[in-house]
């Protein structure tokens, strides 16, 4: 079954860290760029970060640059998002999403996980 | 960075109506534009990419057009199952911002 499954969300205090994971199955994970997208409660979609299929390039939204780090382990078919110095405005459902085309990094997303909720609150 | 602006932010239309949503890029993006549908409580779904190419399985009442900075998503005959929020996204290069969304409701 082709799917992405996020985990690692929870409640965390401002300034603390959290690491999200996204486990892929049913497709050749190492051939696709993968993205993180978030959605604050009742708000729109916000693109967060992308990592190339081989991990060679990474790009971030300005809102998370310097605080979040995207990485992947192709041997484990898993994507990660290390989130440091968390703020209340980082509260959101975090989705991982796959690009529609193998190898090409900047493409629309045809496969999404169900998301994991991160709540930053004291 | 390029910004994506959608209008309107919400609309209400009757079943069978033709619905049009607009997306504008702050700079030209050729046809590197995608549209997504997100139904309440659900994960976003890709509807259209390359501005006008329908994703497999998407009903033909959905169509997209435009190039450069101005794009349009059209629902030719609104159906009850089309109640959702629609987002555009540019993917000419990273970053890949979304528009603010358009919430479509049935009148």
């Amino acid at each position: 079954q082709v799917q992405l499954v996020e985990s690692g969300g929870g409640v965390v205090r401002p300034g603390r860290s959290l690491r999200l994971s996204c486990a892929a199955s049913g497709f050749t994970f190492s051939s696709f760029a993968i993205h993180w997208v978030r959605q604050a409660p009742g708000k729109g979609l916000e693109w967060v970060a992308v990592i190339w299929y081989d991990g060679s390039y990474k790009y971030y939204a300005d809102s998370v640059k310097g605080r979040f780090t995207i990485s992947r382990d192709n041997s484990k078919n898993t994507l990660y998002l290390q989130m440091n110095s968390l703020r209340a405005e980082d509260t959101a459902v975090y989705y991982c999403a796959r690009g529609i085309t193998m190898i090409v990094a900047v493409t629309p997303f045809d496969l999404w996980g169900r998301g994991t909720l991160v709540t930053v609150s004291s | 960075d390029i910004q994506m602006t959608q209008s309107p932010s919400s609309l209400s239309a009757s079943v069978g109506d033709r619905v049009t949503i607009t997306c504008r890029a702050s700079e030209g993006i050729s046809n590197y534009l995608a549209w997504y549908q997100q139904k309440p409580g659900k994960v976003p779904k890709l509807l259209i990419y390359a501005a006008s190419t329908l994703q497999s399985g998407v009903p033909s009442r959905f169509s997209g057009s435009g190039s450069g900075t101005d794009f349009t998503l059209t629902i030719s005959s609104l159906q009850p199952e089309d109640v959702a929020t629609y987002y555009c996204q540019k993917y000419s290069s990273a970053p890949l911002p979304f528009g603010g969304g358009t919430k479509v409701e049935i009148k």
Side-chain angles (χ1 to χ4, degrees):
Chain A
Q1 184 180 2
V2 177
Q3 64 178 359
L4 297 167
V5 179
E6 303 90 340
S7 61
V11 180
V12 61
R13 295 194 184 279
R16 302 299 293 269
S17 299
L18 201 62
R19 188 177 83 157
L20 306 183
S21 299
C22 168
S25 59
F27 65 97
T28 306
F29 178 74
S30 60
S31 293
F32 288 87
I34 308 289
H35 303 249
W36 286 102
V37 176
R38 68 183 182 183
Q39 187 167 35
K43 302 297 184 182
L45 301 173
E46 180 185 12
W47 177 83
V48 173
V50 60
I51 185 167
W52 259 227
Y53 70 99
D54 59 357
S56 58
Y57 290 94
K58 308 171 186 179
Y59 286 96
Y60 300 91
D62 285 345
S63 57
V64 306
K65 201 174 296 181
R67 300 188 299 124
F68 289 12
T69 301
I70 189 172
S71 62
R72 67 191 296 160
D73 185 337
N74 285 345
S75 68
K76 296 182 178 179
N77 291 341
T78 303
L79 173 78
Y80 303 100
L81 185 67
Q82 177 67 43
M83 305 186 295
N84 298 332
S85 303
L86 282 162
R87 307 167 179 167
E89 54 265 36
D90 295 319
T91 294
V93 173
Y94 284 74
Y95 299 99
C96 54
R98 184 188 76 174
I100 195 172
T101 306
M102 287 194 295
I103 306 304
V104 178
V106 188
T107 65
F109 314 148
D110 69 336
L111 178 67
W112 296 66
R114 289 177 172 268
T116 187
L117 176 61
V118 173
T119 302
V120 184
S121 174
S122 54
Chain B
D1 291 343
I2 296 174
Q3 311 299 321
M4 306 302 293
T5 304
Q6 281 182 241
S7 62
S9 57
S10 66
L11 66 88
S12 181
S14 299
V15 172
D17 281 355
R18 184 181 184 88
V19 169
T20 299
I21 299 168
T22 297
C23 177
R24 175 165 289 175
S26 59
E27 297 175 28
I29 58 171
S30 184
N31 69 334
Y32 294 101
L33 192 282
W35 290 97
Y36 298 85
Q37 174 194 64
Q38 186 178 31
K39 295 184 177 181
K42 300 297 186 181
V43 172
K45 172 187 173 183
L46 178 64
L47 292 179
I48 289 170
Y49 61 95
S52 60
T53 301
L54 216 59
Q55 173 71 340
S56 176
V58 173
S60 58
R61 64 180 178 274
F62 291 92
S63 64
S65 65
S67 183
T69 60
D70 294 312
F71 302 88
T72 299
L73 172 69
T74 300
I75 308 173
S76 60
S77 177
L78 187 66
Q79 300 301 304
E81 59 266 32
D82 300 335
V83 168
T85 300
Y86 294 84
Y87 297 92
C88 63
Q89 181 196 33
K90 78 93 167 171
Y91 60 95
S92 52
S93 61
L96 287 73
F98 292 89
T102 297
K103 187 174 184 179
V104 174
E105 298 176 321
I106 300 291
K107 192 180 296 181

